[in-house]
Amino acid sequence: MKATISIDPGVCRSMGLCQAMDADLFEVSGNSRAVVRRSVLTDPDRIDLAEAIAECCPTGAITVDTRDAATPADGTGPGQVTHPPTSL
């Protein structure tokens, strides 16, 4: 399995929770937005952790995409995990 991690910079508010949960994967950059340090993961445990971090993101800015090349580009297939903002 392979996963691609991304952050929507228009949604991210640099709260730093992702970096606090895994500083090897995320960091708050100089432009005051979180960035992904390793955008492609293959280790199942790291993918699980990235999905858990995405679920915790207060603004829902983190996406974990585990779709393979056979998944339609419109995202209708299984595997894309986008999390809505959590209640504050």
Side-chain angles (χ1 to χ4, degrees):
M1 177 189 281
K2 180 174 94 170
T4 303
I5 317 305
S6 61
I7 296 177
D8 182 338
V11 176
C12 178
R13 296 292 171 252
S14 302
M15 295 179 183
L17 182 60
C18 56
Q19 181 176 334
M21 293 179 77
D22 189 342
D24 290 333
L25 188 57
F26 300 97
E27 73 176 316
V28 177
S29 69
N31 69 1
S32 298
R33 294 289 184 252
V35 294
V36 179
R37 297 180 74 196
R38 293 178 48 212
S39 61
V40 178
L41 301 175
T42 56
D43 180 290
D45 292 334
R46 298 289 296 184
I47 293 169
D48 289 344
L49 178 59
E51 288 176 336
I53 293 169
E55 289 176 14
C56 292
C57 178
T59 62
I62 300 170
T63 300
V64 179
D65 188 348
T66 58
R67 294 177 295 174
D68 61 22
T71 303
D74 66 1
T76 57
Q80 185 169 10
V81 179
T82 303
H83 299 280
T86 57
S87 299
L88 297 177

